[in-house]
Amino acid sequence: MSTTLPKITPSHLQLQEAIAYPDAGINSQVLFKDALSQCKLMCLAANTDLSEHTAPRNATVQVVEGRGVFTLMGEDIDLEPGVFIVMPAGAPHGVKATSNLAFLLTFSE
């Protein structure tokens, strides 16, 4: 069986220029979306907590800047630039930003 991928338009951006921290809470910006995947730039203000939740799709997290703790299925993962996390659909997870924290969140089928 073969899959026909949707046609997309080439584009680019400088991630550092797209980062925008709110005074409190989360700023989320969709960078790319098609029928199979979605990539968001997540910017969390220092001391922001995302309580444990699940997602219906597989996902990856790639830290761009900042520090925090990502809890995945009960395991704490220290977040710092360069950390890459693979998260299966339905896995309980949460995030605590200890400083301003920016990461790419990519969902896929």
PDB file of all heavy atoms in Angstrom, residues 84-100:
ATOM      1  N   PHE A  84      15.335  15.946  23.155  1.00  0.00           N
ATOM      2  CA  PHE A  84      14.337  15.458  22.196  1.00  0.00           C
ATOM      3  C   PHE A  84      13.583  14.310  22.851  1.00  0.00           C
ATOM      4  O   PHE A  84      14.195  13.368  23.351  1.00  0.00           O
ATOM      5  CB  PHE A  84      15.044  14.977  20.919  1.00  0.00           C
ATOM      6  CG  PHE A  84      14.117  14.494  19.845  1.00  0.00           C
ATOM      7  CD1 PHE A  84      13.437  15.390  19.049  1.00  0.00           C
ATOM      8  CD2 PHE A  84      13.941  13.140  19.618  1.00  0.00           C
ATOM      9  CE1 PHE A  84      12.593  14.946  18.034  1.00  0.00           C
ATOM     10  CE2 PHE A  84      13.103  12.682  18.619  1.00  0.00           C
ATOM     11  CZ  PHE A  84      12.425  13.593  17.826  1.00  0.00           C
ATOM     12  N   ILE A  85      12.251  14.401  22.864  1.00  0.00           N
ATOM     13  CA  ILE A  85      11.409  13.405  23.521  1.00  0.00           C
ATOM     14  C   ILE A  85      10.442  12.820  22.503  1.00  0.00           C
ATOM     15  O   ILE A  85       9.834  13.565  21.732  1.00  0.00           O
ATOM     16  CB  ILE A  85      10.608  14.050  24.678  1.00  0.00           C
ATOM     17  CG1 ILE A  85      11.566  14.604  25.729  1.00  0.00           C
ATOM     18  CG2 ILE A  85       9.629  13.055  25.293  1.00  0.00           C
ATOM     19  CD1 ILE A  85      10.898  15.502  26.747  1.00  0.00           C
ATOM     20  N   VAL A  86      10.290  11.506  22.524  1.00  0.00           N
ATOM     21  CA  VAL A  86       9.296  10.813  21.697  1.00  0.00           C
ATOM     22  C   VAL A  86       8.192  10.338  22.627  1.00  0.00           C
ATOM     23  O   VAL A  86       8.456   9.685  23.633  1.00  0.00           O
ATOM     24  CB  VAL A  86       9.929   9.624  20.956  1.00  0.00           C
ATOM     25  CG1 VAL A  86       8.870   8.844  20.184  1.00  0.00           C
ATOM     26  CG2 VAL A  86      11.038  10.103  20.023  1.00  0.00           C
ATOM     27  N   MET A  87       6.952  10.679  22.287  1.00  0.00           N
ATOM     28  CA  MET A  87       5.814  10.406  23.157  1.00  0.00           C
ATOM     29  C   MET A  87       4.722   9.666  22.375  1.00  0.00           C
ATOM     30  O   MET A  87       4.183  10.192  21.400  1.00  0.00           O
ATOM     31  CB  MET A  87       5.275  11.746  23.677  1.00  0.00           C
ATOM     32  CG  MET A  87       4.171  11.654  24.652  1.00  0.00           C
ATOM     33  SD  MET A  87       3.783  13.265  25.375  1.00  0.00           S
ATOM     34  CE  MET A  87       3.634  14.327  23.947  1.00  0.00           C
ATOM     35  N   PRO A  88       4.393   8.444  22.790  1.00  0.00           N
ATOM     36  CA  PRO A  88       3.333   7.710  22.092  1.00  0.00           C
ATOM     37  C   PRO A  88       1.951   8.288  22.395  1.00  0.00           C
ATOM     38  O   PRO A  88       1.738   8.902  23.453  1.00  0.00           O
ATOM     39  CB  PRO A  88       3.468   6.287  22.635  1.00  0.00           C
ATOM     40  CG  PRO A  88       4.182   6.411  23.924  1.00  0.00           C
ATOM     41  CD  PRO A  88       5.015   7.650  23.851  1.00  0.00           C
ATOM     42  N   ALA A  89       1.033   8.090  21.488  1.00  0.00           N
ATOM     43  CA  ALA A  89      -0.356   8.532  21.693  1.00  0.00           C
ATOM     44  C   ALA A  89      -0.891   7.947  22.998  1.00  0.00           C
ATOM     45  O   ALA A  89      -0.612   6.795  23.333  1.00  0.00           O
ATOM     46  CB  ALA A  89      -1.227   8.082  20.519  1.00  0.00           C
ATOM     47  N   GLY A  90      -1.622   8.745  23.743  1.00  0.00           N
ATOM     48  CA  GLY A  90      -2.251   8.296  24.977  1.00  0.00           C
ATOM     49  C   GLY A  90      -1.356   8.295  26.199  1.00  0.00           C
ATOM     50  O   GLY A  90      -1.811   7.972  27.299  1.00  0.00           O
ATOM     51  N   ALA A  91      -0.079   8.656  26.052  1.00  0.00           N
ATOM     52  CA  ALA A  91       0.849   8.646  27.188  1.00  0.00           C
ATOM     53  C   ALA A  91       0.580   9.843  28.104  1.00  0.00           C
ATOM     54  O   ALA A  91       0.563  10.983  27.645  1.00  0.00           O
ATOM     55  CB  ALA A  91       2.285   8.695  26.697  1.00  0.00           C
ATOM     56  N   PRO A  92       0.376   9.605  29.409  1.00  0.00           N
ATOM     57  CA  PRO A  92       0.190  10.721  30.340  1.00  0.00           C
ATOM     58  C   PRO A  92       1.479  11.551  30.432  1.00  0.00           C
ATOM     59  O   PRO A  92       2.578  10.992  30.550  1.00  0.00           O
ATOM     60  CB  PRO A  92      -0.101  10.030  31.678  1.00  0.00           C
ATOM     61  CG  PRO A  92      -0.400   8.616  31.362  1.00  0.00           C
ATOM     62  CD  PRO A  92       0.269   8.307  30.069  1.00  0.00           C
ATOM     63  N   HIS A  93       1.322  12.885  30.356  1.00  0.00           N
ATOM     64  CA  HIS A  93       2.479  13.767  30.415  1.00  0.00           C
ATOM     65  C   HIS A  93       2.079  15.141  30.942  1.00  0.00           C
ATOM     66  O   HIS A  93       0.907  15.517  30.906  1.00  0.00           O
ATOM     67  CB  HIS A  93       3.136  13.900  29.036  1.00  0.00           C
ATOM     68  CG  HIS A  93       2.227  14.492  28.003  1.00  0.00           C
ATOM     69  ND1 HIS A  93       1.240  13.751  27.372  1.00  0.00           N
ATOM     70  CD2 HIS A  93       2.134  15.745  27.509  1.00  0.00           C
ATOM     71  CE1 HIS A  93       0.593  14.535  26.521  1.00  0.00           C
ATOM     72  NE2 HIS A  93       1.118  15.751  26.596  1.00  0.00           N
ATOM     73  N   GLY A  94       3.060  15.871  31.436  1.00  0.00           N
ATOM     74  CA  GLY A  94       2.872  17.233  31.919  1.00  0.00           C
ATOM     75  C   GLY A  94       4.193  17.976  31.829  1.00  0.00           C
ATOM     76  O   GLY A  94       5.251  17.373  31.644  1.00  0.00           O
ATOM     77  N   VAL A  95       4.139  19.309  31.972  1.00  0.00           N
ATOM     78  CA  VAL A  95       5.330  20.146  31.835  1.00  0.00           C
ATOM     79  C   VAL A  95       5.353  21.188  32.937  1.00  0.00           C
ATOM     80  O   VAL A  95       4.307  21.775  33.261  1.00  0.00           O
ATOM     81  CB  VAL A  95       5.362  20.877  30.466  1.00  0.00           C
ATOM     82  CG1 VAL A  95       6.628  21.707  30.321  1.00  0.00           C
ATOM     83  CG2 VAL A  95       5.222  19.913  29.318  1.00  0.00           C
ATOM     84  N   LYS A  96       6.543  21.463  33.468  1.00  0.00           N
ATOM     85  CA  LYS A  96       6.767  22.552  34.416  1.00  0.00           C
ATOM     86  C   LYS A  96       7.934  23.367  33.883  1.00  0.00           C
ATOM     87  O   LYS A  96       9.047  22.841  33.722  1.00  0.00           O
ATOM     88  CB  LYS A  96       7.089  21.989  35.807  1.00  0.00           C
ATOM     89  CG  LYS A  96       7.681  22.985  36.782  1.00  0.00           C
ATOM     90  CD  LYS A  96       6.645  23.929  37.305  1.00  0.00           C
ATOM     91  CE  LYS A  96       7.271  24.797  38.405  1.00  0.00           C
ATOM     92  NZ  LYS A  96       6.480  25.927  38.746  1.00  0.00           N
ATOM     93  N   ALA A  97       7.687  24.638  33.577  1.00  0.00           N
ATOM     94  CA  ALA A  97       8.748  25.535  33.109  1.00  0.00           C
ATOM     95  C   ALA A  97       9.394  26.191  34.324  1.00  0.00           C
ATOM     96  O   ALA A  97       8.720  26.902  35.065  1.00  0.00           O
ATOM     97  CB  ALA A  97       8.180  26.592  32.167  1.00  0.00           C
ATOM     98  N   THR A  98      10.689  25.946  34.535  1.00  0.00           N
ATOM     99  CA  THR A  98      11.388  26.579  35.654  1.00  0.00           C
ATOM    100  C   THR A  98      11.977  27.926  35.247  1.00  0.00           C
ATOM    101  O   THR A  98      12.294  28.743  36.098  1.00  0.00           O
ATOM    102  CB  THR A  98      12.484  25.655  36.210  1.00  0.00           C
ATOM    103  OG1 THR A  98      13.355  25.278  35.156  1.00  0.00           O
ATOM    104  CG2 THR A  98      11.863  24.405  36.832  1.00  0.00           C
ATOM    105  N   SER A  99      12.131  28.139  33.946  1.00  0.00           N
ATOM    106  CA  SER A  99      12.486  29.437  33.371  1.00  0.00           C
ATOM    107  C   SER A  99      11.616  29.579  32.130  1.00  0.00           C
ATOM    108  O   SER A  99      10.867  28.665  31.792  1.00  0.00           O
ATOM    109  CB  SER A  99      13.977  29.482  33.006  1.00  0.00           C
ATOM    110  OG  SER A  99      14.251  28.629  31.909  1.00  0.00           O
ATOM    111  N   ASN A 100      11.702  30.708  31.441  1.00  0.00           N
ATOM    112  CA  ASN A 100      11.012  30.779  30.158  1.00  0.00           C
ATOM    113  C   ASN A 100      11.475  29.582  29.330  1.00  0.00           C
ATOM    114  O   ASN A 100      12.670  29.280  29.287  1.00  0.00           O
ATOM    115  CB  ASN A 100      11.328  32.072  29.428  1.00  0.00           C
ATOM    116  CG  ASN A 100      10.576  33.270  29.977  1.00  0.00           C
ATOM    117  OD1 ASN A 100       9.633  33.131  30.754  1.00  0.00           O
ATOM    118  ND2 ASN A 100      10.995  34.453  29.591  1.00  0.00           N
TER     119      ASN A 100
END
